[in-house]
Amino acid sequence: MCVVDAVAKEAAVARFLREYPQAGHVGRDHPALVGCADAAWSRIPGCPAGIPVLLHGLLDQAAGPEALRVLGNVLVDGVLHASAAMPTALPFLIRLAAAPALAVRPGLVDLLVIAAELSQPVDADNERQVLLLGNDCDHPERERCRVAFAAHAAELRALLEDESPPDGLISADDRECLLKACA
């Protein structure tokens, strides 16, 4: 299985910072990112210290697409697993996805859907599921993501109930997945 290790994640963040040195200074007062710099990112195993810069980079018109790409790689530990940093990032991702003027909004919604899917509990009696996804006890990030979705359910529901998003922003299947995550 392909897993992105901590060194590769740090290198990707460092490359982003070299290419977009202004990105960390964008949107310092944006309400969606209040508390971002105060989160204990450095205490999360395998978490690059630059996640706040990537989150701020999402607000930058030029850096946004690359910030989203790097952030997606940092927050997902391979095809079938969210990283330990995903639960801490979710509140910021949810609030940013609700920002209508954000150019990377569709990608943020996609990342939220991925997080919702990866946070679903695994049936311990289903050998195939356990083989593919591992036991829940080995992946505490799943439960922590479910807690984060529940804690920010009102914000997520507001995004899902907003009748003004552009066509195609949230498909019916994605809407159902996100509603299930915040239930």
Side-chain angles (χ1 to χ4, degrees):
M1 168 174 33
C2 177
V3 174
V4 182
D5 69 6
V7 173
K9 291 177 182 185
E10 286 287 356
V13 172
R15 271 192 308 280
F16 175 80
L17 290 171
R18 281 193 304 276
E19 291 175 27
Y20 301 97
Q22 80 289 354
H25 305 292
V26 176
R28 283 283 176 201
D29 57 348
H30 196 285
L33 296 177
V34 170
C36 175
D38 301 327
W41 301 105
S42 63
R43 289 194 217 133
I44 301 171
C47 178
I51 286 184
V53 174
L54 294 173
L55 289 167
H56 284 280
L58 295 170
L59 298 167
D60 184 286
Q61 193 74 9
E66 183 63 7
L68 181 63
R69 186 190 71 75
V70 174
L71 189 61
N73 289 337
V74 165
L75 295 177
V76 178
D77 274 349
V79 179
L80 302 173
H81 300 287
S83 78
M86 180 67 85
T88 305
L90 275 174
F92 307 110
L93 298 176
I94 291 168
R95 291 191 297 253
L96 285 168
L102 199 58
V104 295
R105 190 178 190 203
L108 281 173
V109 170
D110 290 342
L111 188 55
L112 288 173
V113 170
I114 290 168
E117 289 288 352
L118 294 178
S119 68
Q120 292 303 306
V122 170
D123 178 0
D125 295 329
N126 183 327
E127 290 180 35
R128 184 182 192 113
Q129 257 193 346
V130 172
L131 179 65
L132 288 172
L133 304 170
N135 287 306
D136 280 348
C137 63
D138 296 329
H139 295 279
E141 69 278 358
R142 288 185 194 137
E143 174 63 24
R144 292 179 54 232
C145 282
R146 291 192 296 269
V147 168
F149 275 118
H152 297 277
E155 295 159 306
L156 190 54
R157 281 193 191 98
L159 167 66
L160 297 173
E161 292 168 1
D162 181 3
E163 295 185 17
S164 66
D167 289 338
L169 178 66
I170 305 173
S171 71
D173 288 342
D174 290 351
R175 183 179 305 279
E176 183 68 28
C177 175
L178 292 171
L179 282 170
K180 184 178 176 183
C182 65

